[in-house]
Amino acid sequence: MATRTRRSQRRTEALSRERIVETAVELLDAAGEGGLTFRALTERLATGPGAIYWHVANKNELLGAATDAVVAAAVAPRPAATPHSPRDGVRAVALGLFDAIEEHPWLAAQLATQLSRSPAGSVAPRIFESIGRQVRALGVPEGSWFTTASALMHYIFGAAGQNSANTAGARTLAPDVNRAEFLDTVSSAWEQLDPDDYPFTRAVANQVREHDDREQFLAGLDLVLNGIAALHTPSG
Amino acid sequence: MATRTRRSQRRTEALSRERIVETAVELLDAAGEGGLTFRALTERLATGPGAIYWHVANKNELLGAATDAVVAAAVAPRPAATPHSPRDGVRAVALGLFDAIEEHPWLAAQLATQLSRSPAGSVAPRIFESIGRQVRALGVPEGSWFTTASALMHYIFGAAGQNSANTAGARTLAPDVNRAEFLDTVSSAWEQLDPDDYPFTRAVANQVREHDDREQFLAGLDLVLNGIAALHTPSG
DNA sequence: ACCTGAACACCGTTCAAGT
DNA sequence: ACCTGAACACCGTTCAAGT
């Protein structure tokens, strides 16, 4: 059923698990994992801690529910977009997760934590299904589905996580420092590393400064897609 | 265990930042992130919180130092092993990180958190340099170094993180349940998903049960390596 | 310089009591 | 069934005081 968020009349709305989760996501977005406390929650929802505990078992479950809600929205197929090719399908799913992690920087660490706590939960299958359908569309033989989908998922998680790290890092440094300035800081720090210990890192420091996150994410994704194609080319 | 076990010999050793970090790693290994508290630390080190704060600024810094210590050990080149091929070099570095995350399950989430807090810190360059040297050895042209090394690092982080999730998950379920039984549980859960919503995930549920983590990790790594080779083959 | 330990503010969680 | 809010155990951190 379609659930619509109505931002008016918040205070008169009845307390519900859904509204608690929604508020939790807002608090996480606003101030990171440290921003989600039961006190902040009770204040925003104008209630007591006992009321929240009636709807959710504990903070871990709440974090899990917040993670699931955001992931579900991220991998939900967009109505208008029908991909022209299987590769575009993979890119669409990947960018959906990439954007979600960028929009909710707390998500990367939470995915690692939540997947470890309950991989049989709803988050892992949701993501896996979404990626897997594209793998099937790529023409990968069934015996390789699991390995291929896993490899894609791992690349996407790793890359999106690192990317959100850059976004979050830029925020941590200073509120008014934008991403370009932040990358500039990292690049400069890398340029000043010991030449004997860090020759490679120093050599690419300049590429750090100039790179575009999205472009790089897609370039890496293409690397993985090429590897998949190399294994399963029909012509041989 | 209600009785506190304190190694009396410890007390005679001088307190140092190094010993604090070492003890922090032990606590993290034993009980996860929740196991690292200043109270547990003071008990083990037979001291007061003020003494610890003389050596480390706060808990975040301590977590960062613990992460760095473990990563440094993981990417340190092993004396005996000289890889036979560039690909073997990549595999060696990747497996070093893979094993470290498996041995220290808290590491995956900490890497995500710590890299976001200070990407200009020591952890990111350490890992990047280690992977980058292998990328250079692979013969990748310099203009693609950053993208290629990033893609490899992202895959490794994502895969190793997911893998540690399985290890940690097995521990969470029950102390005496081993990994095979845990994967069996996940597999069964996936088999019971809604056929309309999760056709792909249900189809691969059996591959979840049968897969070997290390094999799958290396198979995915080869996928990425094949993709890299496809872009930069000097001749066929 | 290095350490002690009581004290403080804040956190997640509980529960007898209300509607 | 759903909510209130005081209370509890525990946490990270501080700081006047000691050596």
Side-chain angles (χ1 to χ4, degrees):
Chain A
M1 290 302 129
T3 48
R4 293 174 191 179
T5 53
R6 296 166 195 172
R7 295 195 175 175
S8 54
Q9 297 168 337
R10 266 273 164 87
R11 287 157 199 166
T12 57
E13 283 177 42
L15 194 57
S16 67
R17 185 183 160 94
E18 191 188 9
R19 204 152 79 82
I20 293 168
V21 171
E22 183 189 333
T23 307
V25 171
E26 288 172 16
L27 288 171
L28 287 165
D29 288 348
E33 198 176 341
L36 177 59
T37 68
F38 275 80
R39 260 146 253 247
L41 222 40
T42 56
E43 201 174 306
R44 274 235 195 177
L45 294 166
T47 181
I52 294 170
Y53 276 94
W54 178 262
H55 294 278
V56 299
N58 50 46
K59 193 179 179 181
N60 274 337
E61 202 204 74
L62 181 54
L63 275 166
T67 303
D68 188 53
V70 168
V71 167
V75 301
R78 293 169 197 178
T82 305
H84 292 90
S85 71
R87 278 207 178 204
D88 280 342
V90 174
R91 287 190 191 100
V93 171
L95 283 175
L97 285 165
F98 183 87
D99 291 341
I101 292 179
E102 191 154 35
E103 196 181 344
H104 311 282
W106 50 273
L107 189 60
Q110 271 310 303
L111 278 171
T113 308
Q114 295 300 324
L115 289 179
S116 85
R117 240 185 276 272
S118 58
S122 50
V123 174
R126 234 189 261 283
I127 295 171
F128 210 80
E129 181 69 26
S130 183
I131 293 173
R133 291 185 186 191
Q134 309 304 325
V135 166
R136 203 176 43 193
L138 280 171
V140 172
E142 185 164 355
S144 302
W145 278 1
F146 183 54
T147 300
T148 309
S150 294
L152 272 170
M153 187 172 75
H154 294 154
Y155 169 74
I156 292 167
F157 275 18
Q162 179 60 42
N163 190 253
S164 80
N166 290 340
T167 309
R171 286 186 199 165
T172 308
L173 214 68
D176 61 334
V177 172
N178 65 20
R179 185 188 201 89
E181 290 176 61
F182 171 74
L183 288 178
D184 197 70
T185 307
V186 174
S187 177
S188 299
W190 284 20
E191 274 166 355
Q192 278 153 33
L193 288 167
D194 185 323
D196 290 334
D197 290 345
Y198 294 95
F200 180 87
T201 306
R202 281 169 54 99
V204 298
N206 203 45
Q207 295 180 40
V208 172
R209 187 180 280 116
E210 289 167 355
H211 89 284
D212 176 85
D213 298 300
R214 229 157 207 274
E215 249 175 48
Q216 172 136 358
F217 175 69
L218 290 173
L221 187 64
D222 271 341
L223 230 52
V224 182
L225 286 168
N226 285 343
I228 293 171
L231 277 183
H232 306 294
T233 28
S235 60
Chain B
M1 278 204 244
T3 47
R4 58 168 94 170
T5 53
R6 190 187 294 176
R7 299 178 202 173
S8 53
Q9 239 179 346
R10 273 275 165 90
R11 220 171 55 194
T12 59
E13 287 176 42
L15 195 58
S16 66
R17 186 184 159 94
E18 192 186 10
R19 206 151 79 78
I20 294 169
V21 172
E22 183 189 331
T23 308
V25 171
E26 287 172 16
L27 288 170
L28 288 164
D29 288 349
E33 197 175 341
L36 177 59
T37 68
F38 275 80
R39 259 145 254 248
L41 223 40
T42 55
E43 203 175 309
R44 274 234 198 179
L45 294 166
T47 182
I52 295 171
Y53 276 95
W54 177 260
H55 294 279
V56 299
N58 51 46
K59 192 179 179 180
N60 275 336
E61 203 205 73
L62 181 55
L63 276 165
T67 303
D68 188 52
V70 169
V71 167
V75 301
R78 293 167 199 180
T82 306
H84 291 88
S85 71
R87 278 209 178 203
D88 279 342
V90 174
R91 286 189 191 102
V93 171
L95 283 175
L97 284 164
F98 184 87
D99 290 342
I101 293 178
E102 192 155 35
E103 196 182 342
H104 312 282
W106 49 273
L107 190 58
Q110 271 310 303
L111 279 171
T113 307
Q114 295 300 325
L115 288 179
S116 84
R117 239 184 279 270
S118 57
S122 50
V123 175
R126 236 189 257 286
I127 296 172
F128 210 78
E129 180 70 26
S130 183
I131 293 173
R133 292 184 185 192
Q134 310 305 325
V135 165
R136 203 177 40 190
L138 280 172
V140 172
E142 184 163 356
S144 302
W145 279 1
F146 183 55
T147 300
T148 308
S150 293
L152 272 170
M153 186 172 78
H154 295 154
Y155 169 74
I156 293 168
F157 275 19
Q162 178 61 43
N163 190 253
S164 82
N166 290 340
T167 309
R171 287 185 198 164
T172 308
L173 213 70
D176 61 334
V177 172
N178 65 20
R179 189 193 198 85
E181 289 177 61
F182 171 73
L183 288 178
D184 197 71
T185 307
V186 174
S187 178
S188 298
W190 283 19
E191 274 167 354
Q192 279 153 33
L193 289 166
D194 185 323
D196 290 334
D197 290 343
Y198 295 95
F200 180 86
T201 305
R202 281 169 54 96
V204 298
N206 204 43
Q207 295 180 41
V208 172
R209 187 180 279 115
E210 289 167 358
H211 89 284
D212 175 84
D213 298 299
R214 232 158 202 276
E215 250 175 47
Q216 171 136 358
F217 175 68
L218 290 174
L221 187 63
D222 271 341
L223 230 52
V224 181
L225 286 168
N226 285 343
I228 293 171
L231 277 184
H232 306 293
T233 23
S235 58

